[in-house]
């Protein structure tokens, strides 16, 4: 009796489908720093956020002026490096290896999830 070969293609494992989402979630963990800094610049330090006059300005006390500089640096430096890393992982890596770019770009929606979870936890427990 002849054996029949299975014509059913092998299914992709679940982990291969979840890999882009997991990697983007892990990239979102250090992205909490510039996102939180941007939130503080838009809310708490709003008066000093775009003011670069330093101590000659009237946007607040010395603590506010110093904190504003650190938060601006965090948004620019850490946020900029994070964006370059996301560009490399979600666009350049799939293009270079022949993987489907659409799945990686769709999984980039998982980037703000750690920040949202931290904000929710902070709102509940504080």
């Amino acid at each position: 009796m002849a054996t029949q070969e299975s014509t059913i293609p092998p299914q992709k494992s679940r982990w291969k489908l979840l890999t882009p989402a997991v990697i983007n979630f892990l990239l979102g963990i250090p992205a909490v720093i510039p996102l939180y800094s941007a939130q503080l610049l838009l809310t708490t330090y709003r008066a000093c956020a775009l003011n670069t006059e330093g101590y000659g300005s009237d946007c607040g006390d010395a603590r506010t002026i110093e904190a504003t500089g650190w938060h601006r640096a965090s948004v620019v430096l850490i946020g900029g490096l994070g964006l370059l890393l996301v560009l490399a992982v979600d666009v350049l890596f799939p293009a270079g290896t022949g993987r489907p770019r659409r799945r990686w770009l769709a999984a980039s929606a998982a980037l703000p999830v750690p920040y949202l979870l931290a904000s929710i936890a902070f709102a509940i427990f504080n």
Side-chain angles (χ1 to χ4, degrees):
M1 179 159 192
T3 61
Q4 290 181 336
E5 287 187 31
S6 176
T7 59
I8 299 173
Q11 292 184 356
K12 292 183 179 179
S13 70
R14 186 175 298 159
W15 290 109
K16 283 189 178 182
L17 295 175
L18 291 177
T19 301
V22 170
I23 290 174
N24 278 298
F25 179 81
L26 292 174
L27 287 176
I29 293 172
V32 169
I33 297 168
L35 287 173
Y36 182 68
S37 292
Q39 176 192 358
L40 285 176
L41 285 173
L42 293 173
T43 57
T44 306
Y45 303 125
R46 187 175 187 162
C48 284
L50 298 175
N51 190 350
T52 58
E53 294 177 20
Y55 288 105
S57 68
D58 59 347
C59 64
D61 60 349
R63 182 182 153 271
T64 303
I65 294 170
E66 289 175 3
T68 305
W70 284 105
H71 289 296
R72 275 187 273 166
S74 169
V75 169
V76 172
L77 294 176
I78 298 173
L81 291 173
L83 283 175
L84 287 175
L85 185 61
V86 168
L87 174 74
V89 168
D90 288 339
V91 177
L92 300 177
F93 173 70
T97 58
R99 296 186 178 171
R101 217 176 329 184
R102 181 178 292 170
R103 186 180 315 144
W104 284 86
L105 290 174
S108 66
L111 282 166
V113 171
Y115 174 72
L116 295 174
L117 292 175
S119 295
I120 291 169
F122 185 73
I124 290 173
F125 295 114
N126 195 4

